[in-house]
Amino acid sequence: MIVEAIGVEKSRGGLTVALDHLVLPAGSLSALIGPSGCGKSTALDLVAATLRPDRSLRLRLGDTDVGLLWRRQATAALIAWRASRLGYVLQTGGLLPALSVRENIRLSRRLLGLEGPGPEAGVAQRLGIGHLLGRYPAALSIGERQRVAIARALVHEPPLVLADEPTAALDPARAAEVLALLTDLTRERGATLLVVTHDAELAQRAGLRLIACHTTPGRTAITS
Ligand code: ADP
């Protein structure tokens, strides 16, 4: 899915985050890098269509004019778009503790009413979590939780995968491994990937194209 965010702005907490010209070609693999607080998560939420921009010249995600949906306050259409088009990996997994690993992974398909497990078995095997499907999140290590979160973000086969500091809680070796798996699995599915991280070296080693935040007092500009 192509991502086009041009002249998209959001102000909060005294900072304006401006996606001046963020264009991600379909199937591209990128990392948004910059220090803590520069507005990376805000930028990601704008691309995820979860945060309403204050201003948007052009915000198109695939064939959907998300800027127009926000202007029309088309909440149901935005929710439906996110459920079907987006896979989102959070910093700490965001798994539901009352559901088993298998149920957590299947959630993204169930929300869409998709029949069957889809690519669950193959994805779980690649991530090395096949033996954990019957467990509950509390019985997993942090690294295992992140792998489950990656599986959950992929099994409904979304064309856009976003990840917010998915390896921040992992030690360097595990961080590199998990980021490589996320990158490989997204690439194999032909999806577009945008990962937020403060660790440029890690992103570079995973083969991601680096997109930097340009910060001046009160404003962060992002241009790809
Ligand atoms: P990063 O991901 O680079 O650490 P964030 O996008 O989380 O940066 O934060 C950018 C700025 O927006 C910070 O000044 C932060 O305090 C502010 N901010 C983040 N979330 C909110 C919110 N929900 N309400 C108000 N301000 C927020």
Side-chain angles (χ1 to χ4, degrees):
M1 172 193 290
I2 183 167
V3 170
E4 297 170 276
I6 296 164
V8 177
E9 291 193 7
K10 181 75 185 178
S11 299
R12 58 182 188 182
L15 179 72
T16 297
V17 177
L19 308 180
D20 285 343
H21 192 274
L22 178 69
V23 177
L24 308 177
S28 60
L29 309 163
S30 313
L32 180 59
I33 55 164
S36 181
C38 76
K40 301 184 297 299
S41 300
T42 303
L44 203 66
D45 285 343
L46 288 168
V47 175
T50 55
L51 187 64
R52 187 197 173 103
D54 299 330
R55 216 169 66 79
S56 85
L57 226 52
R58 183 175 177 85
L59 180 54
R60 278 189 79 89
L61 302 172
D63 52 13
T64 304
D65 188 339
V66 169
L68 183 67
L69 295 182
W70 280 120
R71 281 194 290 282
R72 289 188 176 162
Q73 301 192 28
T75 311
L78 286 162
I79 291 171
W81 182 88
R82 288 195 292 265
S84 64
R85 317 302 285 157
L86 181 66
Y88 209 139
V89 185
L90 298 167
Q91 188 170 346
T92 50
L95 303 179
L96 299 180
L99 300 183
S100 70
V101 166
R102 181 180 283 108
E103 290 163 338
N104 263 288
I105 292 173
R106 289 193 181 169
L107 200 58
S108 44
R109 292 182 65 82
R110 266 183 46 208
L111 289 174
L112 284 172
L114 294 174
E115 297 287 332
E120 175 187 299
V123 168
Q125 193 240 336
R126 283 291 305 282
L127 288 163
I129 55 170
H131 60 298
L132 303 174
L133 295 176
R135 284 205 203 164
Y136 284 80
L140 302 179
S141 72
I142 295 171
E144 288 167 343
R145 279 182 217 170
Q146 283 312 78
R147 288 162 190 262
V148 175
I150 290 171
R152 190 178 60 178
L154 295 174
V155 290
H156 56 307
E157 306 190 286
L160 177 62
V161 179
L162 303 177
D164 193 354
E165 297 274 10
T167 60
L170 306 179
D171 63 59
R174 289 219 191 322
E177 200 181 18
V178 165
L179 191 58
L181 281 167
L182 174 61
T183 305
D184 288 349
L185 286 167
T186 309
R187 185 192 290 116
E188 286 164 23
R189 277 158 185 75
T192 305
L193 175 68
L194 181 61
V195 179
V196 154
T197 179
H198 62 276
D199 192 337
E201 202 186 312
L202 183 73
Q204 198 152 34
R205 269 189 285 138
L208 302 174
R209 179 174 66 122
L210 304 188
I211 300 169
C213 291
H214 298 284
T215 305
T216 50
R219 191 172 197 273
T220 288
I222 295 166
T223 299
S224 60

